[in-house]
Amino acid sequence: MNQTVLADSLVTLHYRIALPNGQPLLSTFETTPATLKLGAGEMLPAMEKLIVGLTIGSRRVFELSAEEAFGPHRPELVERVRREHMPSQEIEAMSIMEFVAPDGSKYSGLVREIDGASALIDFNHPLAGKPIRLEVEIIGAA
């Protein structure tokens, strides 16, 4: 077992993603640690770069700008969708809705507002445009 995380390591770690004010958004510290293969697209490339070179047992906190984390909020990814083009389920403002593209791929959007004719859907990542704090504890690397 390597003592240092490499760019292609299989890493077992605890992580916490939080807003800069400390509000936690996602954490494994209270549950089972995550095991991820670096370079396989399971983690944001910017986050992977931060943990490469860390040693087993180390615990670090990183601050990422919005651009480094989930990218800027892009206004062109917010669009109005007519009700007849939406799934037939009950739709509520501030809920996540899944859509199917013509090629069969699925993607999600946040319903920002809704009325009888259409809804304003935000297809940005929910954390786009927000800086984040990443805390990691490296448990193992192979």
Side-chain angles (χ1 to χ4, degrees):
M1 185 180 276
N2 292 331
Q3 294 299 306
T4 303
V5 176
L6 304 175
D8 62 349
S9 290
L10 183 65
V11 180
T12 301
L13 74 162
H14 276 299
Y15 66 88
R16 179 178 294 114
I17 297 174
L19 294 177
N21 66 7
Q23 178 188 342
L25 301 170
L26 187 62
S27 176
T28 66
F29 280 96
E30 299 76 26
T31 60
T32 306
T35 299
L36 306 166
K37 175 69 173 165
L38 298 189
E42 297 177 16
M43 180 182 255
L44 282 175
M47 292 182 186
E48 285 190 4
K49 286 179 190 169
L50 295 172
I51 65 172
V52 169
L54 295 182
T55 56
I56 294 172
S58 61
R59 188 168 179 157
R60 298 276 308 274
V61 176
F62 302 98
E63 305 283 338
L64 284 84
S65 70
E67 289 70 25
E68 293 172 304
F70 294 92
H73 186 272
R74 296 173 37 203
E76 68 271 19
L77 294 180
V78 179
E79 56 185 87
R80 190 154 291 282
V81 177
R82 297 184 55 74
R83 289 294 291 257
E84 62 262 24
H85 297 157
M86 297 165 65
S88 58
Q89 80 233 34
E90 187 64 34
I91 302 161
E92 295 179 12
M94 302 314 288
S95 64
I96 301 290
M97 183 177 216
E98 191 167 272
F99 292 84
V100 179
D103 67 2
S105 62
K106 295 180 180 179
Y107 56 101
S108 298
L110 174 66
V111 179
R112 292 271 176 205
E113 57 186 57
I114 188 155
D115 61 32
S118 65
L120 188 64
I121 311 289
D122 187 344
F123 293 105
N124 283 283
H125 186 282
L127 294 174
K130 294 182 170 69
I132 62 165
R133 173 181 290 157
L134 172 67
E135 180 179 356
V136 296
E137 180 180 7
I138 307 300
I139 296 169

